[in-house]
Amino acid sequence: MNTVHRMDNEVLGMNGEGNQYLTFMLAGEEYGVDILRVQEIKGWDQVTPIPNTPAYIKGVINLRGTIVPIFDLRERFRLEAIAYGPTTVVIVLKIKGEKGERTMGIVVDAVSEVYNINEDALKAAPDFGQAISTDFVKGLATIDEKMIIVLDIDHLLNSSIVAEAGRLVRD
Amino acid sequence: MSIDVSQFLDTFYEESFEGLDIMESELLELDVGAADQDSINTIFRAAHSIKGGSGTFGLNAVASFTHVLETLLDEMRDGKRNVTQPAVDLMLTSVDVLREMLNALKTGQDIDAEHAAEVQQQLERLLKGGEEPDNDVSGVDHTSLSDHPEVMVGSGWHIRFKPLSHLFKTGNDPVRLFEELSDLGTIQVKVNDSGLPSFADIDPEDCFLSWEIEYIGDADEAQIRDVFAWVDDDCELELTIIGGEQKATTVETVAVAPVAAPASKTTAPAAPAPVAKAAAVAAAQPKEAPPIAPPKTEEKSAVARKAAPPSTESGSIRVGIDKVDALINMVGELVITQSMLNQLGEDFTMDKVQRLQEGLAELEHHTRELQENVMRIRMLPISFAFNRFPRLVHDLSQKMGKNVELKLSGENTELDKTVMEKIGDPLVHLVRNALDHGIEKPEVRASLGKPAVATLHLNAYHQGGNIVIEISDDGAGLNTEKIKNKAIEKGLINAGDELSAEKVNELIFYPGFSTADQISDVSGRGVGMDVVKKNIKDLSGAIEVLSIPGKGSRFTIRLPLTLAILDGQLVRLGDQTYIVPLVSIIESLQIRKENVKSIASDSELYRLRDEYVPILRLHKVFNTKCDNKELINGLLVVVEGDGQLAGIFVDDLLGQQQVVIKSLESNFKRVDGLSGATILGDGTVALILDIPGLVKLSKERIKKRAAASAAA
């Protein structure tokens, strides 16, 4: 019963049950974020770097009058950095934190799909070892034999802000 | 239909605080003995709305307290009681108590119930007839109702008022009716709660009560029916005339409405038994009925408040309707211009360039006007900050045994709300100082031939893009000799230094100059003059002092009108543009080789006339790229931050412009050395430098390096 239901969701792509997730590509893997948190998707544009911040914080942009920080997710996950290409996009997300909602952007290789994923179809992530702490993963979902890593973006980005990597002396 | 009343809580607090401010200022102006009826009415109304509101939100402690105060005021209003100084003082204390209670409730803390109860008892005692609020706590006697003036004669009416159950839904409140009725004469109200169903069946929005009112007075039937005119269709009303010889004891109106349940223990003994019972029922009722459950709501919002610590930055402002109208007009204009430009763009040919330029000019004009008007929304008259001073001066001068008249002028000068909030404490400190140190005791003044009543003058006005606040007194002025000696003692100046009077006076702003007892000021302000100066500097303002010994002193504070806009100098470093606040720039110069000196390897100094200024290489502090690493012929922006000069080494100086400050924190976090960001004309983001932060950052960097090299 459960499987049938889930297949329905997959086929229809949208149903009252389950949450919709926007997925994006990062170094060949597909990651998902809750679509209700996505404010907009925009192309990569010049940013103003913020001094003394970790390299994965690319800088800030002007999003219709508000200053929005942009994070490079590849660098955040310590994946190999690549040159930004035509499919490189910035996903602007609404992040919930202690001080209320903030707007932040993540740079990813490309956006992929929108899927419906049932809460109970999310499997707990095994310990990955190094790159991505399991803290940041809400769960794993399987769709069409593909694995989708559903991220806990609140935790990921809030902790990314706090991370003090700014070494004052570098030379 | 359930209403979440908690959403109105904030508004209630705001209005209550406003009401308290009004009460306070009116109380201070009240002439003892010959009180102005209007003032008493104003105070009464303020108290009344606080009582009503707090009842609605289930803040029973506040409601019951206010009720006693209100009763007292009501008697004054009716001329049954004289306005005496002790009464006024007690009411001022009550205002403080209420303010504390509301503050505690707002921030989710516990109310200081003991203090409140104490003041409430004093109020009650005063109400009982004792004109003096003494400290004897034992004599609380609820039975002595005979003190109430009795109405000797009179015909009156017996009124049976039975509202239909939907009375509250029509927005009517029996309390108001009774109050209106009590304006016509004296009334005694009895509530009939026989219609009250069991708890389970109670709908808190329905009215189950009916009332019997004995009205004594000379109003005729039409007048009484007039009072009930609004509820005519929603009630059964019966009027019977009462015989002439009946005597009636006056009892203050104790009205009970299920939703607004302000009746309390303190009022209950004064009320006939059925009312007391109904009050208890009514007060208990909301706890059982889920739709409107004030205690629960309160709890919930307290939890919410704990999760998000109270921030002074948010909150609301009241904006005059004229300002909003002006904005709407302006947006209308903007829309018209935009559609005009749109039309022009549809089939644009070169011969229409002229019109295009005109359109763009108009657009610019409208945009600027819109910007100015939006800024004005944040502006509040400075009276908001000045209002607390009559009370402060009144209290302090009494305590110090000084005779002071406070003069306020320019209260309508407008100022940004944020600036206003931050200038309050420094102003209080300056006023306290003036009262404490400046103004002499009456006998000293008399011996000097000065008028016995000293004058303290607070004045505000606009000058250029600034607001100027002056605090002047006709007291003794600053004691130059004493300051000088203290400065020598503290090692700020040398004994042999020749200083002008102004220079000496400025010494009081030095950190560490304030004496220890000033710093430990218990009242929570805890600021010395250096902190006053720092606060003002944080607002990009300045303070100066003018003092004539024996004649008085004047402190002048200059503040920018708003914190949202800043005059900035654009500088370039590598491919990035940064903004240096113009106020902190002393000068900009081209570096001359012979003036560069270096201490050790990392500290470079620049000789600027007779001073040595540390050079701060921005690219090193920020770890960014730059074009020019050689100091020679480079540009140095000499700035002052945190009382220290520094030269910021940059690649290029660009233009100067006004920039709108955008917060980095709202979506990101505070970054050391930056005070915010702004958006340049081309839509890119430029970062605004925080000069004191930058100086600190640079010092830390040098220290770390020194430590690192020492370790190596």
Side-chain angles (χ1 to χ4, degrees), chain B residues 526-545:
Chain B
V527 285
M529 285 306 255
D530 59 321
V531 184
V532 168
K533 186 169 187 179
K534 193 180 163 292
N535 281 0
I536 290 167
K537 281 206 101 175
D538 285 348
L539 293 167
S540 320
I543 179 166
E544 53 194 60
V545 54

Side-chain angles (χ1 to χ4, degrees), chain B residues 334-564:
Chain B
L334 204 62
V335 170
I336 294 168
T337 317
Q338 186 254 341
S339 65
M340 190 262 274
L341 284 171
N342 246 359
Q343 217 169 28
L344 202 63
E346 262 168 26
D347 51 342
F348 186 73
T349 49
M350 278 317 279
D351 56 321
K352 287 181 183 161
V353 166
Q354 175 79 25
R355 279 187 55 203
L356 177 70
Q357 278 170 345
E358 280 169 15
L360 286 174
E362 209 170 300
L363 189 68
E364 191 197 334
H365 176 76
H366 288 322
T367 319
R368 191 172 307 138
E369 234 173 283
L370 190 65
Q371 189 189 24
E372 276 170 17
N373 274 276
V374 171
M375 291 298 167
R376 275 191 56 205
I377 283 195
R378 288 188 57 89
M379 301 292 225
L380 294 173
I382 197 156
S383 54
F384 279 80
F386 278 5
N387 274 347
R388 64 170 107 170
F389 290 112
R391 176 71 193 277
L392 186 82
V393 172
H394 170 262
D395 285 4
L396 281 179
S397 56
Q398 253 181 10
K399 207 159 82 189
M400 295 174 184
K402 291 176 181 175
N403 228 336
V404 185
E405 189 201 351
L406 177 72
K407 266 171 53 185
L408 298 176
S409 55
E411 296 113 304
N412 287 328
T413 317
E414 288 192 325
L415 175 67
D416 188 282
K417 186 170 184 266
T418 325
V419 181
M420 179 106 64
E421 278 163 2
K422 294 192 174 148
I423 199 64
D425 284 347
L427 281 183
V428 169
H429 191 76
L430 290 172
V431 168
R432 285 174 64 99
N433 265 2
L435 284 170
D436 200 2
H437 308 304
I439 290 168
E440 313 95 329
K441 298 231 171 202
E443 53 272 20
V444 181
R445 290 183 70 87
S447 69
L448 290 170
K450 285 180 171 184
V453 179
T455 315
L456 181 68
H457 188 186
L458 286 178
N459 184 23
Y461 55 91
H462 281 157
Q463 192 179 62
N466 291 314
I467 181 166
V468 181
I469 306 170
E470 288 175 350
I471 299 131
S472 41
D473 64 72
D474 63 351
L478 296 175
N479 189 332
T480 328
E481 245 352 86
K482 213 165 141 191
I483 294 169
K484 209 166 161 181
N485 288 339
K486 196 157 195 182
I488 294 168
E489 185 190 310
K490 298 245 171 195
L492 292 170
I493 53 168
N494 294 322
D497 284 355
E498 282 296 322
L499 288 167
S500 65
E502 291 94 72
K503 279 269 176 203
V504 172
N505 289 342
E506 272 172 32
L507 287 171
I508 59 168
F509 295 116
Y510 270 82
F513 191 83
S514 46
T515 50
D517 54 300
Q518 270 174 321
I519 291 169
S520 63
D521 191 336
V522 268
S523 39
R525 286 167 211 97
V527 285
M529 285 306 255
D530 59 321
V531 184
V532 168
K533 186 169 187 179
K534 193 180 163 292
N535 281 0
I536 290 167
K537 281 206 101 175
D538 285 348
L539 293 167
S540 320
I543 179 166
E544 53 194 60
V545 54
L546 178 83
S547 164
I548 303 166
K551 294 264 184 209
S553 52
R554 183 172 73 211
F555 289 85
T556 310
I557 301 170
R558 241 168 259 277
L559 293 168
L561 282 181
T562 169
L563 294 178

Side-chain angles (χ1 to χ4, degrees), chain A residues 48-52 57 60-62 65 67-69 102-104 161 164 167-171, chain B residues 576 621-623 662-669 671 674 677 679 683 685 687 697 701 704-705:
Chain A
T48 302
I50 303 284
N52 296 326
I57 298 177
V60 288
I61 59 162
N62 161 25
I67 308 288
V68 174
R102 310 203 225 202
T103 309
M104 303 180 200
I161 287 184
E164 273 312 326
R167 281 185 307 133
L168 292 176
V169 185
R170 195 183 279 170
D171 36 346
Chain B
Q576 290 300 317
V621 179
F622 277 174
N623 281 319
K662 302 269 178 182
S663 161
L664 267 180
E665 274 159 86
S666 58
N667 284 324
F668 191 50
K669 63 168 176 179
V671 180
L674 299 178
I679 293 159
V685 179
L687 303 172
L697 202 62
R701 180 178 157 271
K704 270 193 192 169
R705 268 189 71 137

Side-chain angles (χ1 to χ4, degrees), chain B residues 141-424:
Chain B
D141 185 7
H142 287 297
T143 55
S144 62
L145 270 171
S146 52
D147 284 356
H148 278 281
E150 275 180 24
V151 177
M152 297 308 289
V153 281
S155 54
W157 293 87
H158 181 88
I159 305 160
R160 209 174 68 79
F161 172 56
K162 185 171 187 303
L164 301 182
S165 63
H166 65 266
L167 177 79
F168 299 132
K169 288 175 184 153
T170 60
N172 286 302
D173 189 344
V175 181
R176 273 190 240 131
L177 298 172
F178 301 154
E179 241 145 26
E180 204 176 330
L181 205 56
S182 71
D183 286 347
L184 295 175
T186 49
I187 56 170
Q188 182 177 6
V189 187
K190 277 189 187 157
V191 72
N192 177 3
D193 61 348
S194 58
L196 217 53
S198 67
F199 271 138
D201 302 325
I202 282 182
D203 181 346
E205 289 179 43
D206 276 348
C207 176
F208 302 102
L209 304 171
S210 61
W211 288 268
E212 307 231 341
I213 306 155
E214 301 271 341
Y215 165 77
I216 308 291
D218 47 15
D220 57 23
E221 182 173 348
Q223 272 175 299
I224 292 175
R225 288 214 179 264
D226 246 356
V227 171
F228 292 94
W230 289 104
V231 292
D232 217 10
D233 297 337
D234 307 312
C235 73
E236 289 168 26
L237 194 65
E238 267 175 39
L239 280 111
T240 22
I241 198 149
I242 303 175
E245 58 283 300
Q246 195 172 341
K247 252 188 172 184
T249 318
T250 324
V251 175
E252 281 307 315
T253 320
V254 177
V256 180
V259 182
S264 67
K265 290 260 160 57
T266 53
T267 63
V275 179
K277 194 177 155 204
V281 170
Q285 181 184 320
K287 280 181 199 142
E288 302 294 319
I292 307 178
K296 212 170 148 195
T297 329
E298 208 184 328
E299 221 169 82
K300 214 197 297 169
S301 42
V303 170
R305 256 178 258 122
K306 259 167 219 160
S311 137
T312 46
E313 303 302 323
S314 66
S316 58
I317 32 176
R318 287 173 165 233
V319 180
I321 199 90
D322 56 320
K323 289 183 180 176
V324 178
D325 283 345
L327 274 183
I328 293 171
N329 272 342
M330 230 144 274
V331 173
E333 294 278 315
L334 204 62
V335 170
I336 294 168
T337 317
Q338 186 254 341
S339 65
M340 190 262 274
L341 284 171
N342 246 359
Q343 217 169 28
L344 202 63
E346 262 168 26
D347 51 342
F348 186 73
T349 49
M350 278 317 279
D351 56 321
K352 287 181 183 161
V353 166
Q354 175 79 25
R355 279 187 55 203
L356 177 70
Q357 278 170 345
E358 280 169 15
L360 286 174
E362 209 170 300
L363 189 68
E364 191 197 334
H365 176 76
H366 288 322
T367 319
R368 191 172 307 138
E369 234 173 283
L370 190 65
Q371 189 189 24
E372 276 170 17
N373 274 276
V374 171
M375 291 298 167
R376 275 191 56 205
I377 283 195
R378 288 188 57 89
M379 301 292 225
L380 294 173
I382 197 156
S383 54
F384 279 80
F386 278 5
N387 274 347
R388 64 170 107 170
F389 290 112
R391 176 71 193 277
L392 186 82
V393 172
H394 170 262
D395 285 4
L396 281 179
S397 56
Q398 253 181 10
K399 207 159 82 189
M400 295 174 184
K402 291 176 181 175
N403 228 336
V404 185
E405 189 201 351
L406 177 72
K407 266 171 53 185
L408 298 176
S409 55
E411 296 113 304
N412 287 328
T413 317
E414 288 192 325
L415 175 67
D416 188 282
K417 186 170 184 266
T418 325
V419 181
M420 179 106 64
E421 278 163 2
K422 294 192 174 148
I423 199 64

Side-chain angles (χ1 to χ4, degrees), chain A residues 5 7 14-15 21 43 49 66-67 70 81-82 84 104 131 156:
Chain A
H5 200 128
M7 270 184 58
M14 43 203 298
N15 194 306
Y21 288 86
T66 38
I67 308 288
I70 304 294
I82 54 162
Y84 293 159
M104 303 180 200
L156 173 65

